[in-house]
Amino acid sequence: DQQVKQNSPSLSVQEGRISILNCDYTNSMFDYFLWYKKYPAEGPTFLISISSIKDKNEDGRFTVFLNKSAKHLSLHIVPSQPGDSAVYFCAASGGETSGSRLTFGEGTQLTVNP
Amino acid sequence: NAGVTQTPKFRILKIGQSMTLQCAQDMNHNYMYWYRQDPGMGLKLIYYSVGAGITDKGEVPNGYNVSRSTTEDFPLRLELAAPSQTSVYFCASTSQGELFFGEGSRLTVL
């Protein structure tokens, strides 16, 4: 039962363009969502988060949008840079998985081409 | 700032052997977690702890054991290693919300 899904295993964009990574969830009890970035041979690092009381959160080139009715969130990176090439994980917590337990999606490999 | 430290980084085990993956954090976090990452599968929670002396199972606990005798340390024990336990293991900690991860331990069981 995959409660957090990232349906695109990979995404390729040109430098300077927008990258849009998508994530869907099924558990309506989730109330806190995060994006993590992972480079090869390193642990995931926190990128940006959003609470369910908001529909948008922005941090520099990164913006996360939350559509609660559609149970969908997306991460926008603009402009994309080659250093953004990494695996991006969507994660969620809340309800029965609270206490800071996170449920992760499968990840999307982003490649930004110079 | 060490953060979350995992050892070893790499290990090859034979079927049936046992070993312990070590995890230590110096941020005084109450919550600690063990995840495994298999290709294309994201991170799956093995065990977690909300404080010293308290541990609980996650999604995929079979074949593993943990202990939490101190706030800093959260070792993961594999008994009778099986090929299905070949994976990359990540330890993480938090006080609330954002998780801080170690660099991972790549385990191969042959």
Side-chain angles (χ1 to χ4, degrees):
Chain A
D1 175 23
Q2 188 71 20
Q3 296 187 67
V4 178
K5 280 198 71 64
Q6 295 174 254
N7 289 314
S8 298
S10 62
L11 175 67
S12 183
V13 300
Q14 286 299 119
E15 181 178 6
R17 307 293 289 266
I18 185 171
S19 296
I20 300 176
L21 295 94
N22 293 303
C23 178
D24 297 294
Y25 61 96
T26 57
N27 190 338
S28 57
M29 298 299 289
F30 287 147
D31 58 8
Y32 187 57
F33 304 89
L34 306 89
W35 285 93
Y36 281 81
K37 176 173 158 178
K38 185 184 177 306
Y39 293 116
E42 293 184 11
T45 55
F46 170 74
L47 190 59
I48 192 169
S49 64
I50 188 167
S51 164
S52 61
I53 62 173
K54 292 184 161 185
D55 55 17
K56 175 182 173 182
N57 189 27
E58 199 169 348
D59 183 2
R61 296 185 297 113
F62 302 91
T63 303
V64 56
F65 295 92
L66 175 63
N67 183 333
K68 289 186 289 292
S69 60
K71 294 191 178 66
H72 177 84
L73 64 155
S74 61
L75 175 68
H76 293 211
I77 307 173
V78 55
S80 301
Q81 298 173 355
D84 296 329
S85 297
V87 177
Y88 289 78
F89 290 100
C90 169
S93 72
E96 66 182 22
T97 62
S98 60
S100 296
R101 287 180 57 183
L102 295 180
T103 300
F104 284 85
E106 306 94 324
T108 297
Q109 170 72 57
L110 173 66
T111 303
V112 180
N113 301 303
Chain B
N1 239 358
V4 179
T5 303
Q6 290 183 234
T7 56
K9 288 190 168 32
F10 303 94
R11 182 73 186 268
I12 298 175
L13 280 182
K14 293 183 179 177
I15 294 172
Q17 286 186 318
S18 59
M19 75 159 298
T20 300
L21 299 176
Q22 302 291 344
C23 175
Q25 53 93 7
D26 61 0
M27 297 173 281
N28 202 33
H29 287 165
N30 285 327
Y31 297 92
M32 294 189 75
Y33 307 82
W34 275 105
Y35 286 89
R36 59 177 286 173
Q37 184 194 6
D38 300 318
M41 297 295 290
L43 292 93
K44 299 293 186 184
L45 183 64
I46 306 171
Y47 269 95
Y48 68 103
S49 169
V50 301
I54 306 169
T55 63
D56 209 346
K57 296 177 180 178
E59 300 171 73
V60 290
N62 291 345
Y64 307 95
N65 276 301
V66 293
S67 59
R68 183 93 183 272
S69 55
T70 67
T71 299
E72 294 77 21
D73 299 298
F74 191 41
L76 178 71
R77 178 86 177 158
L78 282 75
E79 306 280 2
L80 298 174
S84 61
Q85 293 178 303
T86 294
S87 189
V88 181
Y89 292 82
F90 290 100
C91 179
S93 73
T94 186
S95 54
Q96 190 72 24
E98 173 195 344
L99 290 183
F100 294 85
F101 284 86
E103 293 186 339
S105 298
R106 182 176 293 275
L107 176 67
T108 302
V109 182
L110 300 174

